[in-house]
Amino acid sequence: MFLQRAWRQVAFGVYGFTQFTKSGFQEHSKKFKAEDMQVQMEGKNCLVTGGNSGIGFAAAEGLASRGATVYIVCRNKEKGEAALSKIQSTTGNKNIHLEICDLSSISEVKSFASRFSSENKPLHVLVNNAGLLEHNRVTTSEGLELNFAVNVAATFAMTELMRPLLEKAAPDARVITVSSGGMYMAPLSTDLQYSEPKFDGMTQYTRNKRIQVALTEKWSQIYDDKGIGFYSMHPGWAQTPGVAKSLPTFSDKLSGMLRTSEEGADTVVWLALQPKEKLVSGAFYFDRAEAPKHLALAGTWSSHSLIDTIVDNLRSICSLPSSTEAPANQ
């Protein structure tokens, strides 16, 4: 176990430094096709969580610039209004809407989903972007560890509750979940809320991000016949407000080598634009290409067998019905 952990750290460091930085994006972009990003999205509805800053903002702006109707979900009304105004100004698209929801609260996620679903509009693209890395153990008012609440429980609940609207947009609907290269560092664990006595926020974050990748696989299997594509992706190491706040040392040491938010969001927008025949549901993407979910000899592959237990636990924690039942907000 110790050797595997040490190997993961070394392999991740080497792989990350060569692939995840700005230079990696510049190298990979030599293979990008300009026509892939020239698709227009008029008449399509897109929902982006954490859309007021960083990669979420860049993704929302990218979708808006192609004519989509975009709903950005964030906690802070003032920051959300500033983001909305900026996106409308830079893209000329007035069909941008702000939705206020504290994603650390499952009850708020449910209330938002019920409110949003009441209009019965098809949802073509759901971008699960909102994320958090809190180094200290913080418990929400609902008794959930904060990182888990935002990164996993909210992502799970939002996706499950939006499924009826996504089905309305079938067969072109898709869910894009923004994971992290950090997931290469962690196998799946059923200890969802980190019960170990010495809390490690970074380890919890990497576990959360591994769950997102495994969840994407599972969703693609469960809802294979619903006309919804499920994709997870890694934005690379980008210079965002979240990174600067949560990883100041990392941000400072790699100053000048990190990607822009737009470069980090590039694959999110790309996944939203491509014909589904070109994509693999359940896959993990990086820089517009399918990427491995596990590093060689890292010992993470077999852990994905735990995902059924994790999904059952998430349904219980979020008080959501099974996949064969109608969602609670319907």
Side-chain angles (χ1 to χ4, degrees):
M1 184 67 72
F2 172 79
L3 288 177
Q4 272 190 336
R5 208 160 38 233
W7 168 251
R8 280 185 216 128
Q9 291 176 340
V10 172
F12 175 71
V14 173
Y15 187 51
F17 196 80
T18 58
Q19 303 293 313
F20 301 163
T21 54
K22 178 181 282 289
S23 62
F25 180 83
Q26 291 170 341
E27 183 61 30
H28 300 156
S29 67
K30 294 175 182 177
K31 298 180 180 179
F32 291 175
K33 296 178 180 178
E35 59 268 26
D36 284 355
M37 304 299 269
Q38 293 170 357
V39 180
Q40 293 302 300
M41 299 188 73
E42 287 89 351
K44 292 191 175 182
N45 299 313
C46 303
L47 182 68
V48 183
T49 66
N52 60 295
S53 68
I55 289 166
F57 176 86
E61 187 176 49
L63 297 171
S65 70
R66 290 163 176 84
T69 297
V70 180
Y71 300 84
I72 59 175
V73 181
C74 62
R75 180 182 59 182
N76 186 293
K77 186 172 185 288
E78 185 177 330
K79 291 181 179 178
E81 288 175 342
L84 182 146
S85 178
K86 186 175 181 182
I87 292 172
Q88 289 180 332
S89 175
T90 57
T91 66
N93 184 345
K94 300 303 180 184
N95 292 320
I96 317 299
H97 308 277
L98 174 63
E99 302 287 349
I100 303 300
C101 178
D102 181 353
L103 293 167
S104 71
S105 167
I106 300 307
S107 63
E108 279 208 31
V109 172
K110 288 181 174 181
S111 294
F112 161 71
S114 178
R115 186 172 70 250
F116 189 83
S117 298
S118 67
E119 297 185 30
N120 215 25
K121 294 173 292 196
L123 180 60
H124 299 83
V125 180
L126 168 61
V127 180
N128 290 313
N129 163 76
L132 178 76
L133 198 177
E134 170 56 56
H135 291 282
N136 301 310
R137 182 186 290 280
V138 177
T139 303
T140 71
S141 60
E142 297 172 334
L144 303 180
E145 189 280 314
L146 183 58
N147 290 290
F148 164 78
V150 175
N151 299 329
V152 179
T155 294
F156 181 78
M158 185 71 77
T159 302
E160 291 287 334
L161 293 170
M162 289 296 163
R163 178 165 56 89
L165 300 186
L166 288 160
E167 290 183 24
K168 282 184 172 294
D172 197 36
R174 58 200 70 190
V175 175
I176 303 164
T177 299
V178 180
S179 183
S180 163
M183 67 95 190
Y184 284 119
M185 298 283 286
L188 277 188
S189 170
T190 55
D191 183 10
L192 300 181
Q193 301 200 62
Y194 207 101
S195 63
E196 298 165 40
K198 188 175 181 181
F199 184 76
D200 186 325
M202 177 60 80
T203 298
Q204 176 70 329
Y205 177 80
T206 61
R207 289 177 180 177
N208 291 171
K209 292 299 175 177
R210 169 61 67 184
I211 290 175
Q212 290 179 337
V213 172
L215 267 179
T216 297
E217 284 182 338
K218 189 63 182 176
W219 277 323
S220 72
Q221 296 164 11
I222 297 174
Y223 303 125
D224 179 55
D225 62 342
K226 301 298 184 181
I228 307 169
F230 294 89
Y231 317 99
S232 57
M233 61 78 65
H234 170 29
W237 292 344
Q239 184 67 65
T240 67
V243 169
K245 179 182 177 181
S246 300
L247 299 169
T249 302
F250 172 84
S251 184
D252 289 343
K253 283 187 175 180
L254 292 183
S255 178
M257 291 186 280
L258 298 178
R259 300 174 178 214
T260 64
S261 294
E262 289 72 25
E263 290 167 343
D266 178 83
T267 296
V268 175
V269 178
W270 181 84
L271 284 166
L273 298 179
Q274 301 318 294
K276 284 175 68 177
E277 300 75 32
K278 186 176 177 178
L279 305 174
V280 179
S281 188
F284 180 63
Y285 283 85
F286 174 59
D287 285 350
R288 304 193 194 180
E290 189 175 352
K293 298 172 183 173
H294 310 275
L295 296 179
L297 307 178
T300 56
W301 179 82
S302 61
S303 73
H304 277 215
S305 63
L306 298 173
I307 191 59
D308 287 343
T309 299
I310 290 171
V311 167
D312 288 343
N313 289 341
L314 286 171
R315 290 195 188 281
S316 176
I317 290 168
C318 299
S319 299
L320 293 177
S322 73
S323 58
T324 58
E325 301 174 67
N329 64 314
Q330 295 301 295

